[in-house]
Amino acid sequence: LSTQFGGEPTSYTRFSIARQTDGDNSHVEMKLAADEEEGGEIGRPEHLHASMPPPRRNGKNLCFIIMAAVLLLLIGFLIGYLSYRGRMQRVNRCLDGSGNCEMTPTASYFSDDGTEEEEVPGPRILYWPELRNMLSAKLSATRLEANLRQREGKNSFEAGKVEDENTASYVHDQFVSFRLDDVWNDEHYVRLQDKGSSKNQVFIIENGEDELDSPDAYVAYSKSGTVTGKPIYVNYGRKEDFQEIRNIHGPMNDSIIIFRAGKITLAEKVANARKEGAVGALMYMGPSNNRKADSYVPFGHAHLGTGDPFTPGFPSFNHTQFPPVESSGLPHIPVQTISREAASRLFGKMDGEKCPQEWTSRIMGCKVTVSSSSQMKVKLTVNNVMVDRKILNIFGVIKGFEEPDRYVVLGAQRDSWGPGAAKAGVGTAILLELARVISDMVKNDDYRPRRSIIFASWSAGEFGAVGATEWLEGYSTTLHAKAFTYINLDTAVLGSKHVKISASPLLYSLLEATMKRVKDPTMDSRYLYSRVGSDWIKRVVPLDLDNAAFPFLAYSGIPVVSFGFYDEDDDYAFLGTTEDTLANLKEKTGMLYPLMRTAAEVAGQIALRLTHDHELFLDFDRYSEELLSFQEKLWHFDSNVKALGLTLNWLYFARGDFQRAADALRRDIANSDRENRIVRRALNDRMMKVEYDFLSPYLSPKDAPFRHIFFGKGSHTLQSLLENLEQLGANKTSVDVNELKEQLALATWTIKGAANALVGDIWNTDNEI
């Protein structure tokens, strides 16, 4: 080629390799001699003469070489493109993650003889708007009604009894008929409480015994026995209510506390009463516009916790294998519910100070207690008995085609003490309809969810989310790393005027986007978002112990959402009673089935969006806002804390670390190759763990099961820290300084740990706290 560019001709190079005696052939002798045997001059062939003119430069040859190089580049590009496309066709066939990639005809464009083959179309790609519309079109109010009517004519579905097991079999058979990828049962052996052979009774003792009430309803996990004490009314039974009574009347030792339903759970009311030294507790239903409800008595449970209280922290697969321990949340005092009519008669017998106006709850003659000269007392007899029962959780799954080991869980309580139309029927009906519709989309409409969707039917929900909690305890080491959202379907319709939302901050953005695309059934021309307004987050209702989503969030660190309709100014009066029938629920709202369909659409859209998108729709930046909001509440106490020789700065620094870690993850996501599945999965896993990382790692799940510092229960929570600081501001001597130090340390290092986990790799963490 040198002659083509005008260079001098050179001699050819001859290589000779002489093998050494020791076997080393690395010696190379290079001789620049062409035709030594011809006898010519060394270094120059005989037929070349010194007078030979140099060759001329040729422009045509140069142009030819450039064109040839360009052509080679084009051919290489074409080969690379076809190879890449064929490889991507194979990757898209590896949707089950098994690595068994089956080559499709579309991976190759040419046959062996060079002729172009016809491309065979694969499964069509469903984009989100199309998928959303498909879900909406397939959801059927008629099928929801049929599902709900399965409970008609039955009086009780108590956990572990015949009707509960029959319903479990029905749900199982329905899942099978929907052709879910897998259907299975989980058995748990739990200790529950049932009413005894004789009814529980409440008497008024004054010149003899006068029976006040002897209802069929009972409170599970109440202590059995008979107690007598002076009646004291404490409104909703909250801490502030007890504080008000204590300031006016002093101690409440040996009294029987009366409170009305609402604001907090029955178990929390009873726990507060026990702390005040009460020997028993009575609860009646709150006010209702339905006068029929005045004579009805609700069921309930008094366990301040979830799951089987006799295997705390352990799964009840076989409780006989565990030592005889019990939950610290058991009340250890007799508890009973009474009718509103009975409460009115009891107030009529009390002759003490009248109730504050805001405490009356529309009961005539409301009194706080009896006068100092009165001899009237209340006698309470509870005859509950402990029973061991087998309960069944029913599961069905649609497996993801790309990440089957990552899943969304949709769940609903199946059992109820009465007919349970609102308590369990609505949620179970929605669960079955979503399983049918989503399975149909996968089997018949080419939907290929990237991640799995699990449908769960829980038992023993009435006793404190026992079925759900035992499942979480049984798989506690793996669920938090695999399940990234729980969608609760319980009590989705209790009215029609207002929307009730409880959710993890991680799901706020997804929930808002969903409400902007789901029509309001009460006014079809607008969307749900128009009803809740732009400030809906301010009205998010904190999860309580009676919500099956609570243990998912506070115990397992899994983001949750619970969505439903209710009437804020008029509760559904029959919830938890033997009159929770389909007829009463339909009387409460004339749009029962359209409302159920809307609730199903919201839940379905959330589940589909989380399993459809490349990137998980989890807004971890929301927790930065939550932490900043908490920090603003602490600023008022800086001087009080400094007076103790302490500082809040370390807590502020930890919050800043979390903010920077969230910003870094957001940048990583923006700069990543979203088509790279390994990178995408790693980023999604970092988002998934945010909720779990707010479970304080410094506490034992057995002793403090609800370790979440935002939503848990106990002195480790941010709310408890705030209450302690408020108490410090009011009375410095009333605060245990060592407890405050521990609270600050737990909060600081839990937030710092969450920040470190969000960053990802250990070498990227910021340890300058």
Side-chain angles (χ1 to χ4, degrees), residues 105-322:
T106 55
S108 174
Y109 290 87
F110 298 94
S111 63
D112 292 339
D113 61 3
T115 59
E116 186 175 350
E117 290 184 346
E118 180 181 357
E119 184 174 337
V120 178
R124 66 190 176 107
I125 298 175
L126 290 172
Y127 294 99
W128 173 242
E130 185 179 2
L131 194 63
R132 183 181 64 221
N133 294 337
M134 185 185 297
L135 171 72
S136 182
K138 287 179 177 288
L139 286 171
S140 168
T142 302
R143 286 184 175 271
L144 286 166
E145 179 179 1
N147 291 339
L148 185 53
R149 289 192 178 279
Q150 289 292 322
R151 301 179 81 89
E152 276 194 308
K154 302 179 179 69
N155 296 324
S156 175
F157 295 82
E158 191 169 338
K161 291 189 176 180
V162 175
E163 288 300 341
D164 177 43
E165 291 189 350
N166 290 343
T167 307
S169 297
Y170 173 75
V171 171
H172 184 283
D173 293 344
Q174 288 293 101
F175 283 169
V176 171
S177 70
F178 299 152
R179 297 188 297 159
L180 301 186
D181 294 328
D182 201 358
V183 179
W184 72 100
N185 303 341
D186 251 9
E187 292 184 355
H188 296 276
Y189 296 87
V190 297
R191 182 164 293 175
L192 307 177
Q193 198 175 52
D194 204 346
K195 59 185 176 182
S197 56
S198 58
K199 292 183 178 181
N200 298 341
Q201 293 176 298
V202 183
F203 297 93
I204 295 175
I205 301 177
E206 188 180 30
N207 301 321
E209 289 188 358
D210 180 20
E211 184 178 271
L212 179 68
D213 209 352
S214 58
D216 289 323
Y218 68 98
V219 176
Y221 302 122
S222 163
K223 179 181 178 181
S224 295
T226 298
V227 292
T228 303
K230 180 177 71 172
I232 299 178
Y233 175 58
V234 287
N235 197 22
Y236 289 110
R238 298 168 298 185
K239 290 180 180 179
E240 55 265 37
D241 297 326
F242 278 101
Q243 181 66 44
E244 186 167 347
I245 293 295
R246 193 186 312 115
N247 293 340
I248 299 172
H249 296 282
M252 287 163 269
N253 294 329
D254 301 324
S255 61
I256 290 183
I257 300 297
I258 308 161
F259 33 64
R260 54 173 165 157
K263 302 299 183 181
I264 59 176
T265 64
L266 171 57
E268 290 170 298
K269 298 173 193 286
V270 173
N272 291 338
R274 186 189 174 200
K275 287 179 184 176
E276 296 294 334
V279 295
L282 299 172
M283 187 187 78
Y284 68 93
M285 295 289 283
S288 172
N289 294 333
N290 192 323
R291 304 302 298 177
K292 292 190 304 181
D294 287 353
S295 61
Y296 299 131
V297 181
F299 290 80
H301 76 88
H303 175 216
L304 189 65
T306 65
D308 183 350
F310 296 95
T311 58
F314 299 100
S316 294
F317 288 120
N318 187 343
H319 66 263
T320 59
Q321 299 301 310
F322 296 108

Side-chain angles (χ1 to χ4, degrees), residues 5-74:
F5 291 92
E8 292 294 331
T10 59
S11 301
Y12 294 101
T13 301
R14 177 183 297 168
F15 293 86
S16 65
I17 301 177
R19 183 176 298 274
Q20 303 301 309
T21 57
D22 60 356
D24 182 11
N25 61 355
S26 62
H27 177 73
V28 178
E29 180 182 355
M30 184 181 296
K31 296 182 180 180
L32 298 177
D35 271 341
E36 287 179 344
E37 66 277 12
E38 297 289 311
E41 229 180 288
I42 296 176
R44 185 182 300 274
E46 221 175 35
H47 58 277
L48 295 177
H49 302 282
S51 60
M52 180 178 177
R56 293 177 301 170
R57 298 171 185 261
N58 193 327
K60 290 184 178 180
N61 290 339
L62 179 60
C63 184
F64 173 79
I65 289 174
I66 293 173
M67 292 176 63
V70 171
L71 182 61
L72 286 171
L73 285 173
L74 288 174

Side-chain angles (χ1 to χ4, degrees), residues 617-747:
F617 207 138
L618 298 176
D619 190 359
F620 49 87
D621 290 316
R622 289 284 184 178
Y623 266 119
S624 295
E625 298 174 16
E626 294 290 323
L627 285 169
L628 182 59
S629 176
F630 175 70
Q631 179 175 310
E632 291 171 352
K633 295 176 183 177
L634 297 183
W635 284 339
H636 310 293
F637 307 106
D638 270 340
S639 58
N640 302 106
V641 173
K642 286 179 181 177
L644 297 176
L646 303 174
T647 179
L648 296 175
N649 287 341
W650 305 120
L651 192 56
Y652 300 158
F653 294 155
R655 186 211 63 80
D657 287 345
F658 186 88
Q659 175 70 66
R660 288 186 288 275
D663 293 341
L665 176 55
R666 187 62 68 194
R667 287 194 301 270
D668 288 347
I669 293 171
N671 298 329
S672 67
D673 176 6
R674 300 194 180 191
E675 296 301 318
N676 186 318
R677 293 184 180 181
I678 296 175
V679 171
R680 190 172 70 232
R681 180 178 170 100
L683 291 171
N684 283 339
D685 282 353
R686 283 165 67 184
M687 286 190 279
M688 278 176 58
K689 285 189 86 275
V690 170
E691 200 77 74
Y692 179 78
D693 291 326
F694 282 116
L695 301 185
S696 180
Y698 307 102
L699 302 172
S700 164
K702 176 183 175 295
D703 300 325
F706 307 123
R707 296 177 293 144
H708 204 295
I709 62 171
F710 282 95
F711 302 105
K713 300 288 183 183
S715 62
H716 63 282
T717 63
L718 299 183
Q719 180 60 36
S720 179
L721 170 60
L722 187 60
E723 289 173 0
N724 223 358
L725 290 174
E726 290 172 348
Q727 186 67 24
L728 177 66
N731 183 358
K732 180 179 178 181
T733 60
S734 65
V735 173
D736 185 333
V737 177
N738 288 329
E739 181 185 4
L740 182 60
K741 286 181 179 179
E742 183 174 332
Q743 286 181 311
L744 288 170
L746 285 173

Side-chain angles (χ1 to χ4, degrees), residues 582-626:
L582 181 56
N584 280 331
L585 184 57
K586 290 176 70 175
E587 183 181 331
K588 175 65 175 172
T589 171
M591 301 186 63
L592 174 59
Y593 302 116
L595 289 166
M596 288 174 63
R597 187 192 173 283
T598 301
E601 188 170 358
V602 171
Q605 280 203 27
I606 292 172
L608 290 179
R609 191 70 184 268
L610 288 169
T611 56
H612 169 271
D613 289 2
H614 288 278
E615 179 186 322
L616 286 178
F617 207 138
L618 298 176
D619 190 359
F620 49 87
D621 290 316
R622 289 284 184 178
Y623 266 119
S624 295
E625 298 174 16
E626 294 290 323

Side-chain angles (χ1 to χ4, degrees), residues 314-546:
F314 299 100
S316 294
F317 288 120
N318 187 343
H319 66 263
T320 59
Q321 299 301 310
F322 296 108
V325 294
E326 63 179 41
S327 169
S328 60
L330 288 172
H332 298 293
I333 61 173
V335 186
Q336 180 59 45
T337 49
I338 58 176
S339 70
R340 188 174 168 81
E341 288 178 350
S344 183
R345 291 200 308 274
L346 177 57
F347 286 133
K349 292 284 187 178
M350 295 162 62
D351 61 352
E353 183 181 342
K354 290 184 178 180
C355 299
Q357 183 61 38
E358 62 273 18
W359 285 25
T360 57
S361 69
R362 289 186 274 176
I363 282 189
M364 297 298 294
C366 178
K367 305 291 194 311
V368 172
T369 186
V370 295
S371 64
S372 58
S373 60
S374 174
Q375 299 299 312
M376 193 200 90
K377 291 187 177 182
V378 172
K379 177 181 175 183
L380 169 61
T381 297
V382 173
N383 300 307
N384 299 350
V385 294
M386 302 303 302
V387 293
D388 293 330
R389 288 192 190 142
K390 180 183 76 172
I391 61 171
L392 296 173
N393 292 328
I394 312 298
F395 300 93
V397 64
I398 295 173
K399 295 180 181 178
F401 285 74
E402 194 172 301
E403 296 180 89
D405 60 337
R406 300 289 184 268
Y407 32 83
V408 173
V409 183
L410 295 104
Q413 172 183 325
R414 186 182 66 246
D415 67 296
S416 61
W417 273 302
K423 193 70 178 285
V426 168
T428 299
I430 293 174
L431 179 73
L432 291 173
E433 177 64 358
L434 285 173
R436 181 192 70 83
V437 168
I438 298 176
S439 180
D440 183 61
M441 293 166 65
V442 172
K443 304 300 182 186
N444 301 319
D445 294 291
D446 294 328
Y447 175 47
R448 299 291 184 267
R450 298 180 190 279
R451 305 168 193 95
S452 300
I453 303 174
I454 292 178
F455 303 92
S457 175
W458 312 115
S459 185
E462 294 280 44
F463 293 84
V466 172
T469 302
E470 296 308 315
W471 185 65
L472 291 171
E473 290 176 343
Y475 304 98
S476 60
T477 56
T478 58
L479 275 178
H480 71 272
K482 296 177 180 291
F484 56 88
T485 296
Y486 177 70
I487 303 171
N488 184 40
L489 305 175
D490 293 337
T491 59
V493 180
L494 297 175
S496 59
K497 297 177 183 176
H498 302 94
V499 174
K500 184 176 182 179
I501 298 169
S502 299
S504 161
L506 290 175
L507 294 168
Y508 285 173
S509 295
L510 174 55
L511 190 54
E512 181 168 306
T514 301
M515 290 190 291
K516 288 179 177 179
R517 289 296 181 180
V518 176
K519 290 289 184 68
D520 186 342
T522 62
M523 190 178 295
D524 199 47
S525 61
R526 69 175 186 179
Y527 292 95
L528 283 173
Y529 186 73
S530 301
R531 185 200 286 213
V532 300
S534 58
D535 61 344
W536 66 272
I537 293 176
K538 296 178 181 177
R539 296 185 297 279
V540 169
V541 180
L543 289 167
D544 59 43
L545 288 165
D546 288 342

